[in-house]
Amino acid sequence: MFHFFKKKDNKFILGAPAKGKAVALKEVSDPTFAEEMLGKGMAVIPSEGRICAPADGEVGMVFDTLHAVSLTTDFGAEVLIHVGLDTVKMKGEGFTGHVKAGDHVKKGDVLLEVDLDKVKAAGYDVITPMLVCNTDEFSSVTGIYGKDVEAGDDAVVIEK
């Protein structure tokens, strides 16, 4: 009856990394993501080029080509945000980094910016997977998709 008094210490939420349409990983045309080889999560087809932190945490790595960033959340999830498919071949063209390894970020902080039109013009898909790479350390990792999202909207539920 008094469920609202129960602590929810075992459940965490990652926010969407960008504004756009939230989709299942199986909709990503790269099998590495679609088959969850790197972890479970979700993807966003972004409508804006601001890529934001999905939770409070420490930036682990910003790829030299600025197409991907990893962070470890304050609750221990190792998150990879990969902007577009094969965008590593753009060698950073059209991408702007706003953080570096070791930075502590808050949910919603801008990590990267990407010129989506430039990515599309170069012939690349802009779909942006967000994965929990240490999925096996949690009892469940469930993506929330099938709707339009703003950066920061609930996107992945993680249970310890």
Side-chain angles (χ1 to χ4, degrees):
M1 178 163 144
F2 294 103
H3 296 293
F4 53 85
F5 288 124
K6 285 188 180 177
K7 281 191 146 202
K8 299 216 172 15
D9 291 341
N10 66 335
K11 188 180 273 189
F12 303 94
I13 306 286
L14 295 180
K19 178 180 181 176
K21 181 173 171 52
V23 298
L25 283 178
K26 67 182 178 194
E27 293 188 37
V28 179
S29 64
D30 182 323
T32 302
F33 300 113
E35 296 173 15
E36 300 178 338
M37 291 180 202
L38 298 176
K40 294 183 180 201
M42 54 80 72
V44 174
I45 301 169
S47 58
E48 290 183 356
R50 290 171 23 124
I51 306 302
C52 300
D56 295 359
E58 184 174 312
V59 176
M61 186 168 149
V62 178
F63 289 70
D64 292 342
T65 51
L66 303 175
H67 75 288
V69 62
S70 69
L71 66 106
T72 300
T73 68
D74 289 349
F75 59 86
E78 296 170 5
V79 179
L80 172 68
I81 302 169
H82 193 283
V83 183
L85 301 181
D86 293 325
T87 49
V88 64
K89 296 175 184 169
M90 293 184 70
K91 299 182 177 153
E93 188 68 33
F95 291 84
T96 304
H98 291 280
V99 294
K100 64 187 181 319
D103 286 352
H104 194 275
V105 294
K106 294 283 186 193
K107 181 178 179 178
D109 287 354
V110 177
L111 303 173
L112 307 169
E113 285 186 278
V114 55
D115 183 333
L116 297 174
D117 292 332
K118 191 171 264 193
V119 173
K120 291 175 189 174
Y124 300 108
D125 189 339
V126 295
I127 196 166
T128 300
M130 179 174 69
L131 313 168
V132 176
C133 296
N134 61 335
T135 292
D136 58 349
E137 293 180 23
F138 299 98
S139 65
S140 75
V141 175
T142 308
I144 301 170
Y145 43 81
K147 62 180 182 173
D148 290 336
V149 292
E150 297 288 331
D153 285 356
D154 291 358
V156 177
V157 178
I158 300 170
E159 294 188 53
K160 283 259 184 190

